[in-house]
Amino acid sequence: MPLRRHVLLLAAAVSLAAPAAFAATDQALKAAIASPTRPAGDVARDGARHPYESLTFWGLKPKQTVIEISPGGGYWTEILAPYAKATGGTYVAGVADLSNPKLSEGARKGRADFEARFSDAAKYGKPLFVNFGAASGPLGAPGSADLVLTARNVHNWTGAPGMADKVFADFFAVLKPGGFLAVEDHRADPRSEKDAGADGYLNTATVIAIAEKAGFKLDAQSEINANPKDTKDHPFGVWTLPPVKRTAPGGQPADPNFDRSKYDAIGESDRMTLRFRKPA
């Protein structure tokens, strides 16, 4: 083929592909992230959490049923609930297990406050809330969810015997065949994790092994949330870093004389970003 004709055909192929690539951009997700009603503190963390890149990597799409586990301060809820409303999907939060008679009053109040915060249907649609915990029941009907997301939680479960296995089995049960499990957590690699993630850091292989034991297959890994500045040897574990910024051991008063400059310069932790698939 003459070189000129080859170049023209290549240019035509690129031209035809360009609209498809543009269409693949999730404008509804971009709009949810750019919403002026998102808390300023959340927006300030976008540079570390990479919401658009992370959620598209994890497989988020319009009209999905998405279950977020232990949403904490609601960083992802502020994006996912409006996105579900805009695209005809359903957002479900796995929160404190009200069926647990041992649940503290603080945890009960925390759940009530969280539900109240996201009760504005005009902004958030109709989020659902489901019990989640060490003894909770199913997260939903078997095979009813498209995506389960858990961010910075696995290290909280590995220290409790049987907890990680239980919750990953719950994730597997509620996902549709072919559905995705999205995991983000503080990454210990290349060093070994300390006492089942007691400092907040886990080895990637540990998380993969737990997921595979539940039946998942690792679909992809990403360096979206990598931070090569994270030395992973902080005096109060990962919580020394932003956003927690601990200056004393957990449960003790903050130390006003603690020099935070080194840790603030590191920023948020180095994190694994994993996507698992439930086999079809």
Side-chain angles (χ1 to χ4, degrees):
M1 179 186 296
L3 178 59
R4 176 177 171 77
R5 184 182 176 196
H6 179 80
V7 171
L8 289 173
L9 287 173
L10 179 61
V14 171
S15 178
L16 289 171
F22 178 80
T25 301
D26 193 331
Q27 297 297 340
L29 180 55
K30 285 186 173 291
I33 293 168
S35 171
T37 65
R38 285 183 65 212
D42 286 3
V43 175
R45 297 182 66 196
D46 285 354
R49 303 206 70 171
H50 310 102
Y52 185 84
E53 295 82 359
S54 294
L55 289 169
T56 52
F57 168 77
W58 283 324
L60 180 69
K61 291 182 174 60
K63 300 183 180 181
Q64 288 181 328
T65 294
V66 178
I67 303 177
E68 183 186 3
I69 304 300
S70 297
Y75 176 89
W76 291 115
T77 315
E78 289 281 358
I79 297 170
L80 291 171
Y83 177 81
K85 176 182 181 294
T87 66
T90 301
Y91 171 81
V92 184
V95 285
D97 180 9
L98 298 180
S99 69
N100 181 357
K102 297 182 180 179
L103 189 69
S104 70
E105 286 305 312
R108 291 178 185 276
K109 183 179 185 304
R111 171 167 172 170
D113 291 347
F114 190 84
E115 291 191 25
R117 172 180 164 186
F118 293 101
S119 62
D120 182 353
K123 180 178 179 181
Y124 300 110
K126 296 181 179 179
L128 302 179
F129 303 92
V130 64
N131 290 333
F132 172 77
S136 58
L139 293 166
S144 60
D146 298 283
L147 176 67
V148 172
L149 165 63
T150 181
R152 310 187 189 207
N153 289 314
V154 181
H155 65 272
N156 294 319
W157 305 328
T158 49
M163 177 71 172
D165 288 342
K166 186 265 184 191
V167 300
F168 272 74
D170 289 346
F171 304 160
F172 191 87
V174 79
L175 278 167
K176 298 174 181 178
F180 289 125
L181 169 63
V183 177
E184 174 195 2
D185 216 327
H186 313 293
R187 180 167 55 183
D189 313 72
R191 70 163 174 82
S192 296
E193 62 197 46
K194 298 178 181 178
D195 191 22
D199 63 351
Y201 291 95
L202 288 174
N203 287 131
T204 305
T206 296
V207 178
I208 292 174
I210 295 169
E212 289 182 340
K213 183 178 180 181
F216 288 102
K217 301 297 182 184
L218 180 65
D219 196 63
Q221 304 183 53
S222 175
E223 292 299 299
I224 295 167
N225 294 303
N227 180 1
K229 296 189 292 184
D230 186 2
T231 55
K232 310 175 186 184
D233 58 354
H234 319 308
F236 314 116
V238 73
W239 305 283
T240 314
L241 299 178
V244 178
K245 298 187 175 184
R246 189 173 288 174
T247 60
Q252 295 188 18
D255 178 2
N257 298 314
F258 184 82
D259 184 0
R260 288 216 44 81
S261 56
K262 170 183 174 181
Y263 307 102
D264 291 343
I266 290 172
E268 297 200 25
S269 68
D270 175 56
R271 280 152 286 134
M272 66 183 87
T273 306
L274 311 175
R275 186 177 74 232
F276 297 94
R277 183 189 292 271
K278 179 176 177 176

